[in-house]
Amino acid sequence: MIETVGLGRSFNGKAAVEDLNLRVDQGEVFGLLGPNGAGKTTTIRMLSCLIKQSAGTAYVNGFEINKEPDAERIRSIVGVLPEAPGLYESLSAYKNLDFFTQLYGVKKDKRGKRIEELLRLLDLWDRRDEPVATYSKGMKQKIAIARAFAHDPEVVFLDEPTAGLDPQASLTVREFLMALKKEGRTVFINSHHLDEVERLCDRIAVMNRTALAVGSPKELARRYWGRTTVIELVDSRPQYIEAVKRLEFATNVRTEEGRLLVDLDDPELRNPVIIDQLTRAGARIEYVTELKRTLEEVYMKLLGGEGR
Amino acid sequence: MRFDRALTVAKKDLAEFRKNKYVMITIVLMPLIVSIVLPMVYVVPINQLSRQSTSDLDLSFDDVSGYYEEVTVTNAIIYDAEFEDVSIESSILRGCIVRNSTVVNSSISESRIELGTVENTILTRCDLVDLTADVGNTVRECNYVGGNPELEKLQTVMFNVLLILIVMIPVTIPTVTASYSFVGEKVNKSLEPLLATPVTDFELLAGKAGSIFVISMGATWLSFIVAVVMVNILTEPTLGYYPLPNAYWLAGVLLLAPGMCFMSIMANVIISSRVNDVRVSQQIGGVLILPVLLFFFFSLTGMLPSEVLPMLVFSGMVFVADAAIFRLSMAVFEREEILVNWK
């Protein structure tokens, strides 16, 4: 579990992160979104005890950050994928991983097995003995991700895990992360890839120096736009709209592209009433669904852009 | 401090050095030149000078006919005489014994000169015993007894220069290896994942510095052993003894060299925090050779005797400087400092 309490960090008097309050539960995959310079990397660096905070504090699995001996303990139970892969180019993938697992204190008999497992998951086992310098950018990123998981950490911080990867490599990494998600470890992801975050994360936070909103993508959309039911009619006539408008709970009834849209507080309860009302008015209904807002719309709305 | 983690870092760095041809060339080539090529070059003048002075003379003075004491001999031709506390100038002597005397601008052959001062004189087939001064002379087939001042002076110079180069090995190798170890890691952006591990700053520094120290001092001591063997093999037949190692050399190699090696490594840590180019780091690191050169310059010019005591004192000064530079590098080599302020 990760908990930040008024966490802040300044560089030369300028706040990079301020009053950050987050709670990430055990086994949760949490996404941190924000524009460049929003303080995402600084947050990960503070949480993984790489740099000290200027204000507040945070706890990772109960250990307080940047406070010895907790800091060393945190470093031993977390895995970190930094922005750049930062591999030893002259060494092989296997030796890179072996070096880091040794530093994390993984026993010799378990090291080989774990490295093989990770390299096979990432389709790199056959090239394990080749120098990393000969690898493509995507392969290097995969090795760096494997390194973050190599010591079987309880908490993993991933900073832009698919940055600069081609779609195929991104897919492999996503599948890898999905597979590891099932293992129940806490994963904290920084990313600009909204689609990826939406697919991988249980909850997200949008931040710009501080957290602007926290919740699941669906929760955030509902928080900012409410819930809207979309009704596709065989033929859209004014009397159908009037029939729905007569319902007290129906607000902002409108048509868009031939579809009837109704804002509702509780669609699960109200949708059958609307359908009944429309049927009585003679309308023929093709389908009823909920209007889905994308994470991009939520993100843009929170950061001052216009939602579509 | 967990030694296993420092050792892991050291072993990784050594594995990287093995794959880096520039590092390997430095580690192999410089010691090779210093320990094998230079002794061969130096030995030539030593042997030449020795050949002039090692004729096995067997002078006999049974027929010495005259004895002179506390007189001045000028423009004389004297055979078979014995001199004590005299001043001889512009004279020709043969078959003489000259003790505690001063000889200037003369020609002496088949004679024995003891404890005297001989200047600008032609010496042919003489026994020269413990001369206090031997300046500007032409020496032909003479036998130095109790040392050849010119040979000793030459040996001192040659061996000092060789020792300078041996001490420069542990200063030079870290400028290459440390720059790759620290600047290279920074440029490669591999420090952040390394710092994210449980390894402490001190363990990391110890591992990195340790690997550089081991290869630098390994190359230095190996060069020292090879150079000593080479010099001894090449000079013993003419000198009649093994000139190396002497106490001065041992102090230089066992104290000064490790002290300078440590200083070079720590200085490179500090340099690495401010530069982003391996070559710039190497160039700045090269400045460290200057104090060593300065010390040996004083020794070569006679301002400092080439003896153990000055070497010990200088080594002590280096150790004090090491302690100071170590504190500085520890302040620079700190997680937050590396990630936030290393340029």
Side-chain angles (χ1 to χ4, degrees):
Chain A
M1 192 189 77
I2 302 165
E3 188 177 12
T4 69
V5 186
L7 190 65
R9 171 69 203 219
S10 302
F11 294 104
N12 301 320
K14 195 178 172 190
V17 175
E18 55 187 350
D19 195 27
L20 184 66
N21 295 288
L22 294 174
R23 187 189 161 92
V24 182
D25 292 325
Q26 182 76 39
E28 191 175 17
V29 179
F30 190 86
L32 195 57
L33 300 171
N36 290 329
K40 303 188 299 294
T41 298
T42 301
T43 301
I44 278 189
R45 283 179 167 183
M46 284 190 283
L47 292 176
S48 53
C49 298
L50 281 165
I51 60 171
K52 292 184 174 69
Q53 72 274 27
S54 311
T57 191
Y59 301 88
V60 178
N61 278 13
F63 298 108
E64 191 170 357
I65 60 165
N66 296 311
K67 190 178 172 187
E68 294 299 345
D70 283 16
E72 194 178 329
R73 184 83 185 105
I74 288 173
R75 282 198 289 267
S76 66
I77 60 164
V78 304
V80 180
L81 169 74
E83 278 179 297
L87 298 164
Y88 299 109
E89 302 264 323
S90 62
L91 304 182
S92 67
Y94 192 95
K95 282 193 173 159
N96 264 278
L97 296 180
D98 191 48
F99 167 62
F100 278 94
T101 49
Q102 280 186 65
L103 286 184
Y104 280 109
V106 180
K107 296 271 183 290
K108 196 175 180 181
D109 54 328
K110 288 184 181 167
R111 283 207 301 268
K113 200 178 161 193
R114 179 69 178 160
I115 293 167
E116 182 176 348
E117 183 188 351
L118 289 168
L119 289 177
R120 282 195 190 281
L121 258 173
L122 290 163
D123 292 332
L124 288 169
W125 178 247
D126 291 341
R127 296 189 64 181
R128 64 188 178 279
D129 293 326
E130 293 173 29
V132 168
T134 63
Y135 286 16
S136 68
K137 191 177 177 183
M139 290 164 78
K140 287 178 186 173
Q141 184 71 353
K142 285 185 199 173
I143 298 296
I145 291 169
R147 180 185 59 203
F149 286 90
H151 57 293
D152 209 9
E154 294 169 26
V155 179
V156 185
F157 294 103
L158 306 173
D159 200 350
E160 302 287 351
T162 57
L165 299 188
D166 61 40
Q168 199 178 358
S170 293
L171 180 66
T172 312
V173 168
R174 266 202 308 276
E175 284 172 354
F176 174 75
L177 294 175
M178 291 298 280
L180 292 168
K181 186 177 172 179
K182 291 171 192 159
E183 292 179 2
R185 72 186 88 231
T186 310
V187 181
F188 193 101
I189 303 175
N190 275 2
S191 184
H192 287 302
H193 290 239
L194 303 179
D195 176 53
E196 175 184 284
V197 168
E198 199 166 11
R199 277 195 250 180
L200 284 171
C201 299
D202 302 315
R203 286 193 309 137
I204 59 157
V206 179
M207 78 175 288
N208 196 2
R209 289 204 301 277
T210 190
L212 303 174
V214 184
S216 70
K218 201 181 268 184
E219 279 170 8
L220 292 178
R222 286 175 184 174
R223 196 178 301 165
Y224 291 100
W225 283 282
R227 299 178 71 179
T228 302
T229 293
V230 180
I231 304 160
E232 184 81 38
L233 299 169
V234 174
D235 52 343
S236 179
R237 294 181 185 175
Q239 62 264 35
Y240 302 152
I241 299 167
E242 290 308 315
V244 176
K245 277 184 176 173
R246 281 198 291 273
L247 296 169
E248 277 182 17
F249 56 80
T251 56
N252 194 19
V253 181
R254 62 208 183 270
T255 54
E256 275 180 22
E257 296 169 0
R259 297 179 306 170
L260 185 63
L261 275 68
V262 188
D263 290 350
L264 297 168
D265 289 336
D266 191 351
E268 286 79 11
L269 184 70
R270 305 299 188 189
N271 279 349
V273 179
I274 294 173
I275 292 165
D276 188 45
Q277 184 82 341
L278 283 167
T279 311
R280 282 187 196 181
R284 285 192 296 161
I285 298 166
E286 278 188 5
Y287 62 83
V288 178
T289 186
E290 187 171 359
L291 181 66
K292 282 184 181 158
R293 297 282 181 176
T294 63
L295 186 55
E296 188 178 4
E297 286 174 298
V298 175
Y299 179 85
M300 296 305 286
K301 191 173 180 78
L302 282 166
L303 290 167
E306 289 187 0
R308 271 182 266 163
Chain B
M1 167 79 179
R2 277 185 50 183
F3 285 100
D4 59 329
R5 290 199 293 231
L7 192 64
T8 302
V9 173
K11 276 162 46 178
K12 187 275 294 174
D13 273 12
L14 289 172
E16 278 202 292
F17 292 152
R18 276 199 299 273
K19 308 261 180 184
N20 188 320
K21 62 181 176 186
Y22 299 108
V23 170
M24 287 311 291
I25 286 170
T26 310
I27 293 171
V28 173
L29 208 61
M30 191 180 174
L32 202 69
I33 292 170
V34 171
S35 62
I36 296 177
V37 180
L38 289 180
M40 292 167 83
V41 175
Y42 288 174
V43 151
V44 175
I46 289 173
N47 282 358
Q48 278 182 347
L49 196 60
S50 299
R51 258 182 233 115
Q52 288 184 344
S53 56
T54 53
S55 299
D56 190 12
L57 300 180
D58 187 18
L59 299 176
S60 170
F61 300 99
D62 292 341
D63 54 348
V64 169
S65 55
Y67 180 80
Y68 304 92
E69 194 176 9
E70 295 179 1
V71 294
T72 299
V73 179
T74 309
N75 297 321
I77 300 173
I78 302 171
Y79 298 96
D80 306 329
E82 188 172 349
F83 300 92
E84 190 137 4
D85 294 323
V86 299
S87 178
I88 301 166
E89 195 175 336
S90 305
S91 298
I92 297 170
L93 278 68
R94 199 178 79 185
C96 297
I97 299 172
V98 183
R99 289 196 191 90
N100 292 321
S101 300
T102 302
V103 182
V104 182
N105 297 327
S106 299
S107 176
I108 305 176
S109 60
E110 296 176 11
S111 300
R112 181 181 174 89
I113 306 171
E114 292 178 20
L115 293 166
T117 298
V118 186
E119 291 180 6
N120 303 318
T121 295
I122 299 167
L123 299 163
T124 309
R125 293 177 57 75
C126 294
D127 274 338
L128 306 170
V129 185
D130 294 334
L131 296 187
T132 52
D134 179 6
V135 182
N137 301 315
T138 302
V139 183
R140 296 182 187 130
E141 296 182 53
C142 292
N143 182 32
Y144 279 95
V145 181
N148 176 345
E150 280 194 33
L151 182 60
E152 280 169 7
K153 209 181 289 178
L154 181 70
Q155 274 186 339
T156 304
V157 171
M158 291 298 191
F159 292 159
N160 257 335
V161 173
L162 194 55
L163 186 56
I164 293 171
L165 292 167
I166 287 178
V167 174
M168 273 167 64
I169 294 173
V171 182
T172 309
I173 290 178
T175 63
V176 178
T177 49
S179 57
Y180 278 104
S181 179
F182 294 104
V183 179
E185 193 129 30
K186 184 168 63 162
V187 171
N188 207 24
K189 297 187 190 306
S190 48
L191 271 174
E192 186 165 348
L194 189 54
L195 294 168
T197 67
V199 68
T200 65
D201 299 342
F202 185 76
E203 286 162 359
L204 191 53
L205 184 60
K208 288 193 156 291
S211 63
I212 298 165
F213 189 85
V214 164
I215 53 167
S216 303
M217 288 316 300
T220 305
W221 284 329
L222 192 65
S223 299
F224 162 72
I225 291 167
V226 175
V228 165
V229 170
M230 285 291 290
V231 167
N232 284 340
I233 288 173
L234 293 167
T235 57
E236 193 277 335
T238 46
L239 291 178
Y241 63 97
Y242 296 116
L244 293 177
N246 53 35
Y248 183 70
W249 263 59
L250 286 172
V253 170
L254 297 176
L255 293 175
L256 182 60
M260 285 308 301
C261 182
F262 187 78
M263 185 186 286
S264 181
I265 295 167
M266 291 301 130
N268 272 284
V269 173
I270 296 167
I271 294 163
S272 300
S273 70
R274 291 290 172 264
V275 301
N276 267 328
D277 191 320
V278 170
R279 286 164 299 182
V280 175
S281 169
Q282 288 166 5
Q283 282 163 6
I284 300 172
V287 173
L288 279 173
I289 292 167
L290 288 178
V292 181
L293 289 179
L294 207 62
F295 171 74
F296 283 105
F297 170 77
F298 288 134
S299 299
L300 289 170
T301 54
M303 293 165 81
L304 274 176
S306 297
E307 290 170 3
V308 177
L309 188 62
M311 180 65 86
L312 291 177
V313 171
F314 184 65
S315 300
M317 288 162 67
V318 168
F319 288 135
V320 172
D322 280 351
I325 204 165
F326 176 68
R327 286 177 69 91
L328 269 175
S329 58
M330 277 303 289
V332 168
F333 201 81
E334 198 258 328
R335 260 183 176 75
E336 171 131 4
E337 178 76 16
I338 293 167
L339 286 171
V340 178
N341 292 329
W342 277 34
K343 302 295 178 201

